[in-house]
Amino acid sequence: MKFFLDFAVQIVRYRAAHCPPEVCRAGTEMCKRLGTKVLHLALANCDGPFVSQEARIDVADILSCTLKALQDGHVVAVPTDTIYGLACLAQNSGAVRKLYDIKGRNEQKPLAICVGEIHDIYRYCKVEVKEELLSDLLPGPVTLVLERSEILNKELNPFTSLVGIRIPDCGFMRRLCQMCGEPLALTSANVSAQNSTVAVHEFHDLWPKLAVVVDGGPIEDQSRLGSTVVDLSAHGRYRIIRAGWLPQLLSLDGRPDLGFVPVVPKFFHFQICALTQSGLRGLQRIP
């Protein structure tokens, strides 16, 4: 009994600490009027012997609701492994325009796409590197820049032949992409030029413009750095376009260099080493 009481107290504290009451009340009321659905994944996403079947069903319901919103051409907010994101179907040009409008993003700035599995990358990109390299880096907090394939929506980033592609290390996002059967256009959940967000209440001003807000709880890493962007479009070479999350966790002498102690899942250590060493599976690094 003490376990369940302690768990209940933790839930209450979690909600109180990560969403200011006035923000939650105002955001919820506005969303009710405009039809935005705020879906709480944080507790439904728990696992273990004390998690009820009802909680596990909630995850499926949240996925289905989010999928329907995407298929209807709407923009949704979702958690990832780095920061919160705004997403829509990349093959839906109207939804992509809506995403740009909501974020206030310059239309000459490209959007990345997100897929669920390594094999999906080959459908939407022209891959010139070994699959082992892709597996080294993905899923994880990395965006790979590759030549786009002809099947990708021509109205998505029409000004460039390249596209950034992600597989977040986030079970919800990977499953959502698999259910969509096509890539998601993905960008950070904030107005352009503002800080990235690591909790849903931080972008509550955007909620009324979204069909669904999936609350996955606060992102563990609080650096707000986003994914590391690696350009693999040049044959035999790679370039780190944006340092992002991974290289910042480890300076070249091996010491943390962020001013705080980051939370680093064990499987990220290989990715960190791969991106900070001078070579990446035989590729030459371009400064």
Side-chain angles (χ1 to χ4, degrees):
M1 179 62 71
K2 184 177 185 300
F3 171 84
F4 292 104
L5 290 174
D6 290 344
F7 184 60
V9 169
Q10 289 174 10
I11 293 173
V12 173
R13 287 177 177 171
Y14 166 84
R15 291 296 180 202
H18 296 98
C19 186
E22 65 279 5
V23 170
C24 291
R25 284 195 297 269
T28 301
E29 290 304 315
M30 179 67 76
C31 288
K32 284 180 180 177
R33 290 198 297 272
L34 298 180
T36 303
K37 295 181 179 178
V38 181
L39 308 175
H40 299 285
L41 181 67
L43 295 179
N45 200 37
C46 294
D47 199 359
F50 298 104
V51 179
S52 67
Q53 184 64 29
E54 289 75 12
R56 293 191 179 94
I57 293 173
D58 283 345
V59 179
D61 291 342
I62 292 171
L63 281 164
S64 296
C65 184
T66 308
L67 174 64
K68 185 178 187 308
L70 290 166
Q71 292 174 334
D72 288 344
H74 297 301
V75 177
V76 302
V78 288
T80 75
D81 49 354
T82 53
I83 54 179
Y84 271 84
L86 301 179
C88 70
L89 294 183
Q91 301 295 80
N92 185 327
S93 298
V96 170
R97 288 192 292 273
K98 190 182 299 184
L99 178 55
Y100 272 100
D101 289 342
I102 291 173
K103 188 175 173 67
R105 186 178 179 85
N106 185 327
E107 292 188 0
Q108 294 302 305
K109 291 186 175 181
L111 295 173
I113 62 173
C114 176
V115 296
E117 301 291 344
I118 294 287
H119 63 77
D120 295 323
I121 297 176
Y122 292 86
R123 180 171 173 80
Y124 300 103
C125 299
K126 298 176 181 178
V127 181
E128 298 288 341
V129 297
K130 295 179 180 180
E131 185 171 343
E132 290 85 354
L133 175 56
L134 301 182
S135 299
D136 285 348
L137 300 174
L138 299 172
V142 180
T143 298
L144 301 181
V145 177
L146 300 164
E147 287 280 343
R148 59 191 289 156
S149 72
E150 289 75 14
I151 198 172
L152 188 62
N153 182 4
K154 291 178 173 57
E155 295 185 30
L156 177 76
N157 310 335
F159 45 83
T160 177
S161 62
L162 306 179
V163 67
I165 190 162
R166 285 209 65 195
I167 303 179
D169 186 49
C170 172
F172 177 84
M173 281 299 293
R174 293 187 66 186
R175 182 58 184 146
L176 181 62
C177 289
Q178 292 163 359
M179 293 173 67
C180 287
E182 58 182 287
L184 297 179
L186 184 66
T187 185
S188 56
N190 57 276
V191 174
S192 285
Q194 294 185 3
N195 288 337
S196 300
T197 56
V198 293
V200 294
H201 71 266
E202 294 182 344
F203 58 93
H204 68 92
D205 53 323
L206 296 181
W207 289 10
K209 301 177 182 180
L210 306 172
V212 170
V213 175
V214 179
D215 180 4
I219 306 295
E220 276 192 304
D221 177 69
Q222 297 286 305
S223 67
R224 303 176 190 268
L225 293 173
S227 62
T228 297
V229 182
V230 183
D231 185 352
L232 294 176
S233 62
H235 181 71
R237 299 183 177 186
Y238 77 100
R239 180 166 61 98
I240 297 179
I241 297 176
R242 183 177 72 188
W245 197 74
L246 282 177
Q248 291 295 330
L249 292 177
L250 199 67
S251 61
L252 293 179
D253 61 2
R255 295 195 302 268
D257 194 26
L258 283 176
F260 62 90
V261 179
V263 177
V264 187
K266 290 181 179 179
F267 51 84
F268 282 167
H269 283 289
F270 183 78
Q271 294 169 316
I272 293 169
C273 293
L275 288 174
T276 53
Q277 64 188 11
S278 58
L280 191 61
R281 283 200 177 267
L283 301 184
Q284 178 185 353
R285 178 172 176 176
I286 305 172

